[in-house]
Amino acid sequence: MKAPLSVAVAIAIGLVVLLGYFMPFERLTSLRIVLLDWAVILAAVALLVGIGNLIYVHWRKSVRAQGESVHSVALLVSLFLTLGVVGWFSPTHPYSLWIFNNIQVPIESSLLAILAVLLAYALVRLLRRRMDRFSLVFVATVVIVLIGTAPLLGFDFPILGDLRSWLAEIPAVGGARGILLGIALGIIATGVRILIGADRPYGG
Amino acid sequence: MTTSLIAALVVLAFFILIILFSVFSQRLPAWNFRAIPAFDRLERAVGLAVEAGNRLHLSLGSGDLTGTQSAVAFAGLSMLRRVARATSVSDKPPVATAGEGALAILSQDTLRSASRESGVDFDLMNGRLTGATPFSYAAGALSVIHDEDVGANLLVGSFAAEVALINEAGERAHSLTLAGTDNVPGQAVLFATANETLIGEETFAGGAYLGAGPAHLASLRVQDIFRLGLIFVIVAGALLKLLGVL
């Protein structure tokens, strides 16, 4: 154990927050809320550090002309322009909102639109890559749910609509709950490993 | 109050059993864990990365570290540490991308620790924030896959539909993609787009399958015990309901 102090602090704070959830003592609950507020503030500071890292990485890529360095230059120019506009005017000024509504939102919406095509293509590729019964069930379910949700060329298929409802309400909910139970067990196990110091993602 | 008490007892039981199984791991009979193809392929990819001199990309997603999504990111960090140690002799160390500031810092910390243990220099370029929103994060991760000679992508974190963009980039770059997430719709997308998908709790089992130590094996045993208990409770509840007792 190379950093016993950081490990001890992390474990102690983790245990206090955990106990704050289960024990109805007002002081413990208040302490938990204060510690969680600190965590939120630290996460915001970490975002600033992360942006510093983003600038550093793309600066080095631009200087080295590594890969598509023009993308890095474009990123740095737009980042500093946005920072300048938002910092000079304010985040709610019309200029700042113009950048958000006319650049950020359309680009992210375009990526979302690409996803629809990409997922349809991925479905076909799935059958080519892994033709087993799970893939067939997956593809059949997707097709039934899609046709059952939106009428195809104006034709309505009531049987498919009923089948879609049954699939969405019974097997899909059952499967999702099964997966969520497994994930919940995994989350508890991961949390306990960190609290006993067996896993130290904070580098101790 | 009853729900809170049950939750506290479950967490306490996890604590006790994980500590017991970790301490007495040598004396306990071997527990046969089922083979998960994704981890077999990951081990091969690690070996190949060392031999072929290409790099592994570990994507930690854009989950909030102050919420429940942190657990899957911590599972990803645990796998990053193992992968970084295993590829320490490679010409190209693994690169980790994150969509959250704190996660990016933790990935740097993990890679720095692994580098220190292996006696090699750490480069800040290897742990990075690629974007602060899910789509900007995915868009930033694409350039890593395209430009940095990535042989395999390991995606373990909180992802939604945007993960399809990352997997598509992996497919185009002819690199292997192994992925797991805690997000149910994200898992459906991963099933269709990744080469190997980790379903549900498999995402959290990476440490145990990659030899991260007795605590990881112990936690997997405890999860198995609790899963059996849950199955029993659910089946018994359904039967009692069917019989009209409940």
Side-chain angles (χ1 to χ4, degrees), chain B:
Chain B
M1 184 61 197
T2 315
T3 314
S4 182
L5 186 68
I6 293 170
L9 288 174
V10 167
V11 173
L12 187 67
F14 257 90
F15 262 102
I16 294 168
L17 288 173
I18 288 179
I19 291 169
L20 281 178
F21 285 157
S22 302
V23 173
F24 299 109
S25 58
Q26 299 292 329
R27 295 185 205 169
L28 291 169
W31 194 281
N32 287 325
F33 296 118
R34 68 189 164 85
I36 297 178
F39 293 124
D40 294 335
R41 289 188 77 172
L42 177 62
E43 281 187 8
R44 282 202 297 273
V46 168
L48 205 65
V50 174
E51 284 172 22
N54 53 30
R55 100 185 335 193
L56 287 170
H57 166 225
L58 203 137
S59 180
L60 296 166
S62 47
D64 184 5
L65 209 62
T66 54
T68 50
Q69 298 158 336
S70 59
V72 70
F74 288 140
L77 284 169
S78 183
M79 287 163 81
L80 174 64
R81 183 177 286 240
R82 297 300 304 166
V83 166
R85 277 185 190 168
T87 54
S88 60
V89 289
S90 168
D91 295 337
K92 291 184 179 169
V95 58
T97 56
E100 210 256 348
L103 259 182
I105 294 172
L106 287 178
S107 72
Q108 288 177 356
D109 207 25
T110 303
L111 287 169
R112 188 180 285 115
S113 296
S115 301
R116 199 171 45 223
E117 285 164 18
S118 312
V120 292
D121 291 333
F122 167 71
D123 186 353
L124 266 178
M125 293 273 283
N126 295 336
R128 23 182 131 150
L129 177 87
T130 56
T133 63
F135 274 104
S136 63
Y137 161 65
L142 302 188
S143 71
V144 175
I145 297 169
H146 281 302
D147 298 342
E148 301 192 22
D149 196 17
V150 169
N153 302 282
L154 177 61
L155 287 74
V156 180
S158 193
F159 301 99
E162 77 280 355
V163 73
L165 294 169
I166 302 177
N167 286 339
E168 175 65 18
E171 187 79 26
R172 281 174 180 269
H174 305 292
S175 56
L176 181 70
T177 311
L178 315 160
T181 181
D182 60 343
N183 180 307
V184 176
Q187 289 204 351
V189 173
L190 289 180
F191 186 82
T193 55
N195 294 108
E196 291 290 347
T197 317
L198 297 165
I199 304 288
E201 73 276 12
E202 289 175 357
T203 308
F204 297 88
Y209 279 82
L210 297 175
H216 284 262
L217 290 170
S219 72
L220 214 52
R221 285 184 181 203
V222 179
Q223 282 181 68
D224 279 351
I225 291 168
F226 270 87
R227 190 182 306 109
L228 286 173
L230 277 173
I231 291 168
F232 175 77
V233 169
I234 290 169
V235 172
L239 283 174
L240 290 174
K241 184 94 176 166
L242 201 68
L243 296 170
V245 180
L246 282 178

Side-chain angles (χ1 to χ4, degrees), chain A residues 9-47:
Chain A
V9 170
I11 292 173
I13 289 178
L15 285 173
V16 166
V17 173
L18 182 66
L19 290 174
Y21 276 106
F22 297 130
M23 294 190 169
F25 300 126
E26 203 178 319
R27 281 191 181 176
L28 203 57
T29 311
S30 312
L31 188 58
R32 174 175 67 87
I33 291 166
V34 169
L35 289 170
L36 287 177
D37 284 346
W38 286 2
V40 172
I41 294 166
L42 281 174
V45 175
L47 181 63

Side-chain angles (χ1 to χ4, degrees), chain A residues 107-145:
Chain A
I107 288 176
E108 295 216 356
S109 305
S110 311
L111 285 174
L112 197 64
I114 289 170
L115 265 185
V117 181
L118 208 147
L119 286 174
Y121 178 58
L123 207 63
V124 177
R125 207 168 45 203
L126 172 70
L127 289 179
R128 209 177 55 202
R129 188 175 58 215
R130 202 169 54 211
M131 177 68 106
D132 56 19
R133 63 179 188 279
F134 295 114
S135 300
L136 287 172
V137 169
F138 184 82
V139 172
T141 308
V142 170
V143 171
I144 290 167
V145 170

